[in-house]
Every structure is written in C-alpha cells, then in structure tokens.
C-alpha cells in the first residue's frame, strides 16, 4: 500500500506539535545524558541519571533540569518537521505505482531525512549542550576552589550554588562574532554521522513494526501501535548510534572541566576516548538517550499518524462545519 499523501503544511504542523510535546516531557533526561557523556574519568561527579538529576535539583533548583530547553522548544518544531516531512517526501519519490518500498529504498529515504535535518539540529544542539553542561562545569570548579583554599579541609558539596551563566542569545552572538556561522555548525560532521545512520535504522524499522500492527481491514494502525513502534524503533536506533553521539557531545562542548581532554576533530576525539576511558565510554548516556528518544518519537508518530494538523486545518478551512 502506498503511503497516504499529506499536505506539506500538515506535515510541518504535526512535526512541530510532536516535537514540543516530546521535548517538554523528556528534557531533564536529556540534560542528564549530556552531563554523563561529558564527564571524563577522574572527574566523575555523577554516578547515574538519577544521581545527576537529584544533584542538579539541589544545586540549581527544579528549573535547572530545563537549562537549554528554550533552545529546543524554539528549534525543535522546524527540526522535527523537516525530519518527518523529508522522510515522507523521499518515500513518495522512491515509490512506484503504489508498490511497497523495498528495505533499501526505505533506508535511502531515512538517509535523506537525516541529512536534511542537520541544518537545524547542529546549531540547536550546539547551543543546548553549552547551557546543559554549564552547571556541571560550575560545580566542578567550585569543588576545586574549595579543595585548594587554606580552609578547605571539609568535603565540598557538589550541590553548590551555580554562578550566573550565559543565555542562548549571548552564546549565539559570541559564536557569530568570534567564529562566524561556522561556530554554530561546530560538530556538523559528527552530527551527520549520528543522525544519518539513526534515520536509516529508525524509519524502516518503524514502518515495518507499524505495518505488523495494522489490521488488514484498516488503512492505518491504531494509535497505540504507532506509539509502541515509534518507541521501539527510536530506542533501538538511539543506542545503535550512541558512540557517535558521545563524540558529537564532546566536540560541541566549548567549556572543559579541570584536567579534561580537548579534541581537534572526530577521529582525535574517538581515539582519546578509547585510549583514556575505554570502549565502554562510547555507551555513556545510552540508556538516557533511549529513554529520551523512545517517547519523543513515539509521541511524534502518534501525532503524525492521528493527523492532528489535518483536523486543525480542516476546521480553519470550514469553520462552520
């Protein structure tokens, strides 16, 4: 069966609604993922996701878990809209006479979607990571200062109040002034290496899982099937590309903690992580990422397949209906 054709405005609205709902629900877990991935051996401040979130609440308050959320909430609409709409577009272009797409063509459509989305994803993640990791850097520096002080005999607390940190607007202005537009696209290659394979795995896996739950007599699967298919496909793809996500996070972090490595590029970063932290470091934050991506894409597919935007556009076009 051919994919149901949906108007471009509807695709964009559905993707935006899904992104806003998803980010609001899972952003604290994403913050924990970033901080866990950025901490290096010898500088471990957090032992797990729950430990990170508890210490964040104690030191920065409840809303500290949402540092950088404004960036995501602003840019996730175009990002998710581009990803979902591009995949739908490429699937349509690759289909012939209503025939079911082969696995290779499904993977090519996912590749195209992943390539298109990095236009928005890279600067969004660049800004988000700086804001998310600022609390970890500030707490680590406060600990070091307490240890070096003459009266620093007592054990310093990780939950020390954080110093004022820059906003997304300040970061954007500074990056543009110092490095130009390329500053916002730092880590573009690593983002491509993460998002293109993610989409190659995610979209075909979702389409086939969703097809398995579709009743023979109906055009589309029940919403719970779309949700579960999105969760399973999203978490599987997230874990599969987590090594690239760890490297991307490290490359995009402008501030370093005390005695933490710096990196000149993707291969240099991967080599140093392997040498200094071992292969298991490439799976840092993998379960956090799975917990973020699973509901994020589950929600996205439910919104997309329920056609919320089509209903809204229908009401606007026929207000008296």
């Amino acid at each position: 069966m051919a994919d149901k054709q949906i108007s471009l405005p509807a695709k964009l609205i559905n993707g935006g609604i899904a992104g806003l709902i998803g980010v609001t629900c899972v952003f604290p877990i994403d913050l924990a993922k970033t901080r866990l991935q950025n901490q290096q051996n010898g500088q471990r401040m957090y032992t797990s996701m729950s430990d990170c979130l508890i210490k964040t609440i104690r030191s920065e308050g409840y809303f500290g878990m949402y540092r950088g959320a404004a960036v995501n909430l602003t840019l996730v609409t175009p990002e998710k809209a581009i990803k979902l709409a591009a995949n739908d577009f490429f699937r349509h272009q690759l289909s012939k006479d209503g025939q079911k797409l082969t696995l290779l063509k499904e993977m090519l459509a996912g590749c195209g979607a992943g390539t298109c989305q990095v236009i928005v994803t890279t600067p969004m993640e660049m800004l988000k990571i700086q804001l998310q990791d600022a609390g970890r850097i500030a707490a680590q520096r406060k600990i070091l200062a307490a240890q070096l002080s003459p009266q620093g005999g007592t054990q310093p607390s990780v939950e020390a109040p954080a110093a004022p940190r820059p906003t997304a607007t300040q970061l954007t202005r500074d990056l543009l002034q110092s490095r130009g537009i390329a500053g916002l696209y730092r880590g573009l290659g690593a983002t491509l290496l993460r998002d293109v394979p993610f989409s190659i795995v995610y979209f075909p896996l979702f389409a086939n899982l969703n097809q398995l739950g579709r009743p023979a007599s109906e055009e589309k699967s029940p919403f719970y099937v779309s949700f579960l298919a999105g969760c399973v496909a999203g978490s599987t793809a997230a874990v599969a590309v987590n090594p690239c996500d760890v490297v991307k996070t490290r490359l995009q972090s402008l501030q370093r903690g005390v005695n933490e490595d710096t990196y000149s590029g993707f291969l240099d970063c991967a080599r140093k992580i392997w040498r200094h932290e071992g292969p298991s470091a490439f799976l840092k934050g993998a379960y956090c990422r799975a917990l973020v991506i699973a509901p994020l894409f589950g929600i996205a597919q439910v919104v997309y397949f329920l056609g919320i935007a089509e209903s809204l556009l229908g009401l606007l076009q026929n207000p008296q209906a």
Side-chain angles (χ1 to χ4, degrees), residues 234-248:
S235 58
T236 302
V239 173
V241 303
N242 197 74
C244 291
D245 188 55
V246 172
V247 175
K248 183 199 75 68

Side-chain angles (χ1 to χ4, degrees), residues 28-315:
I29 303 175
D30 187 65
L31 178 136
K33 182 218 67 147
T34 297
R35 294 188 177 185
L36 288 170
Q37 287 182 340
N38 263 333
Q39 65 179 7
Q40 301 180 20
N41 285 351
Q43 303 294 332
R44 289 171 58 88
M45 298 184 61
Y46 312 112
T47 58
S48 64
M49 178 185 73
S50 58
D51 180 58
C52 178
L53 292 177
I54 290 170
K55 288 176 178 176
T56 298
I57 292 173
R58 288 178 180 173
S59 62
E60 303 169 55
Y62 174 80
F63 291 104
M65 296 190 299
Y66 284 88
R67 287 283 302 178
V71 175
N72 261 36
L73 291 172
T74 302
L75 296 179
V76 74
T77 297
E79 191 236 10
K80 284 291 175 286
I82 289 171
K83 189 185 190 83
L84 293 172
N87 178 70
D88 207 43
F89 170 79
F90 287 119
R91 287 178 69 89
H92 175 61
Q93 295 300 314
L94 291 168
S95 65
K96 293 181 179 179
D97 302 324
Q99 295 179 352
K100 187 178 185 298
L101 288 175
T102 63
L103 179 60
L104 177 60
K105 288 184 176 180
E106 288 183 334
M107 293 173 71
L108 286 174
C111 177
T115 303
C116 291
Q117 79 167 84
V118 299
I119 297 170
V120 177
T121 302
T122 305
M124 178 181 76
E125 297 254 320
M126 180 69 187
L127 296 173
K128 181 197 72 171
I129 286 171
Q130 315 315 314
L131 296 170
Q132 285 182 326
D133 203 41
R136 181 187 71 90
I137 299 294
Q140 188 186 90
R141 288 175 177 171
K142 189 170 185 67
I143 288 176
L144 181 65
Q147 290 174 337
L148 294 177
S149 65
Q151 297 83 18
T154 58
Q155 181 68 26
S157 173
V158 171
E159 301 82 35
R165 301 177 199 105
T167 65
T169 303
Q170 292 172 325
L171 286 169
T172 303
R173 185 168 57 247
D174 292 344
L175 283 170
L176 289 174
Q177 289 176 348
S178 62
R179 309 185 188 191
I181 192 68
L184 290 173
Y185 281 87
R186 179 187 174 107
L188 174 62
T191 306
L192 279 168
L193 287 172
R194 182 196 67 171
D195 288 349
V196 171
F198 178 94
S199 295
I200 289 174
V201 173
Y202 171 79
F203 283 110
L205 182 57
F206 168 78
N208 286 279
L209 289 174
N210 195 55
Q211 181 68 33
L212 289 175
R214 178 180 296 170
S217 59
E218 298 184 22
E219 286 191 1
K220 57 184 181 181
S221 302
F223 80 93
Y224 64 87
V225 172
S226 293
F227 177 77
L228 290 175
C231 288
V232 173
S235 58
T236 302
V239 173
V241 303
N242 197 74
C244 291
D245 188 55
V246 172
V247 175
K248 183 199 75 68
T249 300
R250 298 277 183 96
L251 288 175
Q252 288 188 318
S253 297
L254 297 175
Q255 298 294 321
R256 299 289 176 197
V258 181
N259 299 324
E260 290 184 346
D261 288 332
T262 57
Y263 312 106
S264 60
F266 187 92
L267 292 178
D268 179 61
C269 181
R271 185 165 48 246
K272 287 180 178 176
I273 291 174
W274 181 281
R275 183 186 305 145
H276 299 157
E277 303 172 58
S280 62
F282 289 106
L283 291 178
K284 282 185 176 181
Y287 66 96
C288 293
R289 185 162 163 75
L291 288 174
V292 168
I293 297 296
L296 195 63
F297 279 84
I299 292 168
Q301 293 298 352
V302 169
V303 172
Y304 204 54
F305 278 79
L306 285 179
I308 293 176
E310 290 87 326
S311 300
L312 292 174
L313 291 174
L315 290 174

